[in-house]
Amino acid sequence: MWGSDLLEQNPDFYKVMECPWTGEKVVCVRSLRPDYSIIHVQEADIYGNARILGPNYQDVLLSRASGHVILTTERIVGTYRMQEEPKLTAIPHILVDAVVELPGGAKHGICYPEYLTVDFDLHKEYQKAVKSGEVPKFAEKMLEGRL
Amino acid sequence: MKEKVMSLDQALNLVQDGMLLAMGGNGMHRNATLFALGLTLKPVKDLKVCAAAPGIAADILVGTGKADRAYFGFFGLENEAGLAPGMRKAMQGANPTAKATEGS
């Protein structure tokens, strides 16, 4: 933080304080408390226990930092999957408010190992929709039959 | 344990005006894209988004004006997908519709 403009640019976000033990000046960063985490996973059971296959990114931290979690999942699996390998449960049910079964929920992006490349035809369509302000129309097409 | 399975529509209705949403995934990877697209069809407004590396889902919310603020370390789609078009549209130019808090 020292030497950057971040402290001056966001005074509501950063405060310089004195370390109570050493007297050293330290930068304190205000924590974010998200109302909801919106996380797409490969596997969840009906109670909201979720497994993430492949990289977690920061999703485990996000789920803990948020007040509530909404999961969309490629598929709903039996709870026995979690009981067989409890340590593979990335997000436990106690954090979760909603489980939505939504195969292809990360399209037109990537969801390992279900679909491994970006759908560039759709991505070009999305880029055009952003420019012309027609993203809701693109959304209607992508969500046809799902709402 | 309580059953929490619901329809996409029911889950979308949980999101209320002014909420801060943490978006999972990274770049084009494992983003809740369809959920974000669903929010663009709802009247919800004044959202804020955060993530270490928000990608396509956050881009949808910022680019459509659903979210007016983003807290992030890096905001982009990576590789061939390039920069985040919705974020650029909302944040560049004389009259930005969204504010970025970088390095948060």
Side-chain angles (χ1 to χ4, degrees), chain B residues 33-93:
Chain B
T33 315
L34 292 192
F35 191 92
L37 286 171
L39 281 178
T40 70
L41 301 175
K42 294 282 178 187
V44 66
K45 59 183 191 309
D46 303 331
L47 298 174
K48 292 158 184 41
V49 291
C50 66
I56 185 72
D59 189 67
I60 289 163
L61 296 177
V62 174
T64 53
K66 287 288 170 194
D68 57 17
R69 185 153 190 153
Y71 302 94
F72 60 88
F74 167 80
F75 198 150
L77 306 181
E78 297 186 299
N79 302 323
E80 297 99 316
L83 299 169
M87 182 268 270
R88 286 193 69 183
K89 186 183 176 185
M91 292 180 184
Q92 75 180 8

Side-chain angles (χ1 to χ4, degrees), chain A residues 16-29:
Chain A
V16 177
M17 300 183 84
E18 204 170 84
C19 169
W21 287 282
T22 65
E24 191 188 359
K25 297 272 186 209
V26 290
V27 181
C28 299
V29 184

